[in-house]
């Protein structure tokens, strides 16, 4: 993702790794969930200082899974820190019916866009019983605009490993969108707000929204606007499926995170200084599963 971002335009990318706080979420998920609060306070303070140094900077947070909620807490604790937050399949377990104070909100940044890729529902997928926890994301709308490619299930779950793939797919789709403006444009919305494990009909609307990097805050629906949950249909996703090799490197998920840091060729920020802050500043959070970056 970092490589695709800096190739698209001149901008600074900061990768925020919160170390042991995010390791092995599948083994000690509750601890990782608790750790986002402390990490968010620190991140919010850092971003606030960056904004003081470069008042014209456009600061954009991109977070996956628990990282999406961490960004929300950082923005909430430091109002005005983020111009935009992009949530890539925000985590669902322990955050759908409880701990709502830790969940990403549409007010955590000026613009919050969300891609849901792992919200399993029995209505479209009879294999949802494949695991006790059959989804790592959530279908619950959380942003200014929420996007549901294939109803928020990419790809369909057929076995336990597919839950991982589905959860990570939002990241692939976002990377794909960077170099392919217009690919994920849609004028279809869900006819209402989906709940936990719930699927609803779609309808066409008079506005067009675009999922991913090129999502625009030119159209930000109000709190009572029904055009907030956009559906990305099968035809569009079929094109994306044929292009998915662009975002994949063989064997990448078998590397440790410290090895991946070398692969992405990322220059560390030695200090917080104006020389390191470009025209646009993107805070890209490391993805929270231990087997991915």
């Amino acid at each position: 993702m970092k490589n695709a971002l800096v190739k698209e335009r001149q901008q600074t990318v900061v990768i925020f790794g919160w170390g042991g706080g995010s390791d092995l979420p599948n083994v000690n998920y509750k601890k990782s969930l608790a750790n986002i609060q402390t990490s968010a306070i620190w991140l919010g303070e850092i971003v606030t200082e960056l904004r003081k140094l470069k008042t014209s900077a456009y600061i954009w947070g991109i977070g996956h899974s628990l990282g999406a909620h961490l960004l929300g807490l950082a923005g909430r604790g430091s109002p005005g820190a983020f111009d935009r937050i992009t949530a890539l399949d925000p985590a669902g377990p322990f955050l759908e019916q409880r701990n709502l104070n830790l969940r990403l909100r549409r007010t955590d940044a000026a613009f919050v866009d969300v891609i849901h890729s792992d919200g399993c529902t029995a209505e479209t997928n009879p294999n949802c019983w494949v695991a006790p926890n059959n989804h790592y994301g959530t279908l619950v709308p959380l942003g200014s605009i929420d996007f549901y490619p294939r109803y928020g299930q990419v790809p369909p779950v057929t076995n336990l490993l597919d839950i991982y793939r589905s959860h990570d797919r939002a990241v692939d789709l976002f990377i794909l969108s960077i170099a392919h403006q217009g690919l994920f444009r849609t004028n279809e919305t869900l006819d209402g707000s989906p709940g936990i494990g719930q699927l609803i009909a779609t309808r066409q609307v008079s506005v067009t929204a675009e999922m991913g990097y090129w999502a625009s805050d030119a159209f930000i629906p109000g709190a009572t606007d029904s055009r907030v949950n956009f559906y990305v249909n099968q035809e569009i996703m079929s094109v994306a499926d044929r292009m998915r090799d662009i975002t994949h490197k063989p064997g990448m998920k078998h590397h440790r995170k410290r090895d991946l840091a070398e692969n992405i060729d990322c220059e560390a920020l030695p200090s917080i200084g104006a020389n390191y802050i470009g025209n646009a500043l993107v805070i890209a959070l490391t993805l929270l599963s231990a087997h991915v970056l």
Side-chain angles (χ1 to χ4, degrees):
M1 185 188 295
K2 185 273 300 183
N3 290 341
L5 288 168
V6 297
K7 184 178 180 180
E8 195 281 318
R9 70 177 64 182
Q10 184 178 353
Q11 54 191 341
T12 300
V13 179
V14 179
I15 299 179
F16 173 56
W18 44 301
S22 63
D23 282 343
L24 299 177
N26 296 317
V27 175
N28 200 342
Y29 178 83
K30 289 184 179 180
K31 182 178 180 182
S32 296
L33 175 59
N35 286 338
I36 68 174
Q37 300 175 76
T38 303
S39 300
I41 293 171
W42 183 88
L43 178 61
E45 292 175 351
I46 291 294
V47 174
T48 299
E49 290 303 311
L50 289 171
R51 188 171 287 285
K52 290 178 182 177
L53 290 168
K54 186 77 171 181
T55 56
S56 61
Y58 182 89
I59 302 181
W60 176 4
I62 305 169
H64 172 255
S65 194
L66 282 177
H69 300 295
L70 192 158
L71 281 171
L73 290 174
R76 199 176 313 155
S78 299
F82 293 103
D83 294 287
R84 176 179 174 184
I85 290 176
T86 296
L88 304 177
D89 206 43
F94 297 105
L95 288 162
E96 291 182 306
Q97 296 177 312
R98 48 185 159 161
N99 300 311
L100 303 188
N101 60 310
L102 303 181
R103 206 163 72 178
L104 175 72
R105 299 173 186 171
R106 59 182 293 148
T107 55
D108 291 335
F111 178 48
V112 179
D113 57 303
V114 184
I115 300 176
H116 300 268
S117 66
D118 181 41
C120 201
T121 64
E123 293 182 62
T124 60
N125 194 338
N127 295 302
C128 272
W129 55 267
V130 73
N133 178 21
N134 55 35
H135 62 282
Y136 298 149
T138 180
L139 293 179
V140 176
L142 301 171
S144 310
I145 296 182
D146 289 66
F147 293 91
Y148 295 84
R150 285 203 193 105
Y151 290 106
Q153 300 178 66
V154 191
V157 174
T158 58
N159 59 64
L160 185 60
L161 291 178
D162 281 344
I163 301 175
Y164 287 100
R165 298 187 187 104
S166 188
H167 191 39
D168 293 344
R169 188 64 168 132
V171 181
D172 296 336
L173 295 174
F174 183 84
I175 295 172
L176 195 60
S177 74
I178 297 171
H180 298 86
Q181 186 175 6
L183 176 62
F184 294 117
R185 287 178 184 163
T186 176
N187 65 343
E188 293 183 73
T189 66
L190 300 183
D191 193 12
S193 295
I196 302 166
Q198 178 187 11
L199 182 68
I200 53 182
T202 64
R203 62 190 176 96
Q204 291 198 334
V205 294
S206 58
V207 296
T208 298
E210 182 160 359
M211 182 180 76
Y213 180 81
W214 299 99
S216 172
D217 58 3
F219 170 67
I220 302 180
T224 59
D225 197 321
S226 61
R227 301 169 300 175
V228 293
N229 303 316
F230 282 83
Y231 172 65
V232 181
N233 64 37
Q234 176 64 36
E235 183 178 356
I236 297 172
M237 292 307 300
S238 294
V239 175
D241 287 343
R242 292 194 293 270
M243 301 170 71
R244 72 173 303 179
D245 60 327
I246 296 173
T247 64
H248 279 254
K249 277 188 172 183
M252 282 290 280
K253 290 188 178 182
H254 299 290
H255 288 283
R256 294 176 61 83
K257 283 195 277 189
R258 63 172 62 96
D259 299 326
L260 282 165
E262 297 175 3
N263 286 338
I264 63 172
D265 188 27
C266 182
E267 183 175 328
L269 223 63
S271 62
I272 299 175
N275 291 336
Y276 290 92
I277 305 174
N279 293 329
L281 176 71
V282 179
I283 307 291
L285 262 73
T286 52
L287 311 183
L288 301 204
S289 298
H291 62 285
V292 296
L293 179 69

